[in-house]
Amino acid sequence: MRRIHDPRVGLPVSLPAVGTLLNEPAYTELVKEYGRERVVEAIREQVASEREGAADAAGRHAAVAAKLRTVAAPRLRRVINATGVILHTNLGRAPLSQAAIDALAVAAGYSNLELDLASGKRGERAALVAGLHTALFGCEAALVVNNNAAAVLLALTALCKGKEVIVSRGQLVEIGGSFRMPDVMRLSGARMVEVGTTNRTRPADYEEAVTPRSAALLRVHTSNFRVSGFTESASLAELAGVARRHGLLLLDDLGSGAAEPIGDEPTVAESLKHSDVVTFSGDKLLGAPQAGLILGRKSLVERARKDPLARALRVDKLTLAALEATLPAYDEPARALREIPALAMLAQDDAALERRARALAGAIRAADSGLAIGVERGAGEVGGGALPLARLEGWVVTAEWKGRPVEEIDRRVRAAEPPVIGYIRAGKFRMDVRTLGDDEIAEVAQAFANRDT
């Protein structure tokens, strides 16, 4: 036993050695559940806290067990999205359809990922979804990689390495994580040639930049911003004309990638009418898992597939399974609106949103009468870099604690299980019901009822 003095009373206090505690039955059970190394570390931390007078020995076992539960808990957790941002990057962007979720269970075990069941020989994993893409979008070939940045990088590497690619200065975008288009271009080995100005780029600017070293024109969709006012840009049809006259490729980076018309977002089908290769995200407006899709002429997509970089960027079986299960919903627009959660949220009826908001407000009032709860008009966002100027008019529920900081409400509901993620504006905690399901109302109310948090 080590003996120290309790600074509170000046009397000697005995603290047991870690090894002594480990031999006690209660801690032996913890070792079985969490492993010896974790338990030893948790005990050491607890005893150190007791030595410093920051913890009470009477609650030692409970404190150690609580610490172990925290350490062992999964870091990736389900949260309730009450922000009104449908494709919220911090919250995993598009939620998957039920069909995609069911497909993940199938892919979790053994599957015919790279086995041709008809011949019994090795198959190609890309073939699992390639046919669905070509049928849906009317293109010659398709390839899936792990995100759109990877799709652009692979296309440029396979088709333009060592050559010039002409792009408008107004399209040198930066995506999340400070990853910029010039960086992608540099990594690919292609040489970027900038034309035009930030706000005005004409077809003639592309024409004048063509040299014998040119390989392609690249259009980059400015997904997460818009330039307005004194502006001009070449249409995709005009770019196609320039490319054809000079024997160049036209590559179109669509970014979010809309399968169906949504606001002013260009659709994949429209892009394929003019472009040789189109790239876009699978996990945004398509409502599938994170992926990057490369569609276009068969000879070009095949070059990308055979490039050594393709193996480093390929997707796993879970992504392919969820993507394959998502695509059939687009056979019928009405079915897509029903089954793809992101599209369903975009299309929600205003009256239904108001009913949900008032139901949520009533449930929270019943859970905590000390809160001032209101229902107001609000505006959500598409998110994920799509339709940056669009505001999705709807309804929000507000919460206030008179005399207490609104940040306390935010902390309380984020500490709940599951955590509720809303936002603070104009001194109130707000929850936009567009991104909430009717089945989540009770859980949100419970988060407000839990005073322990």
Side-chain angles (χ1 to χ4, degrees), residues 155-165 185 188-191 215-216 249 251 303:
L156 290 171
T157 301
L159 305 176
C160 306
K161 188 173 185 178
K163 299 180 181 179
E164 295 176 350
V165 177
M185 191 80 73
S188 73
R191 178 174 176 270
L249 299 176
L251 313 179
R303 282 169 61 183

Side-chain angles (χ1 to χ4, degrees), residues 314-369:
R314 72 178 185 175
V315 294
D316 72 341
K317 61 181 182 179
L318 298 179
T319 299
L320 285 171
L323 182 57
E324 181 186 26
T326 301
L327 293 175
Y330 285 95
D331 290 342
E332 302 174 33
R335 178 184 172 191
L337 288 176
R338 290 194 311 271
E339 297 184 7
I340 308 299
L343 299 185
M345 291 179 195
L346 279 169
Q348 286 181 96
D349 175 74
D350 189 73
L353 292 173
E354 183 180 6
R355 285 194 298 271
R356 185 180 304 147
R358 298 198 181 283
L360 176 61
I364 295 174
R365 290 190 190 102
D368 189 337
S369 58

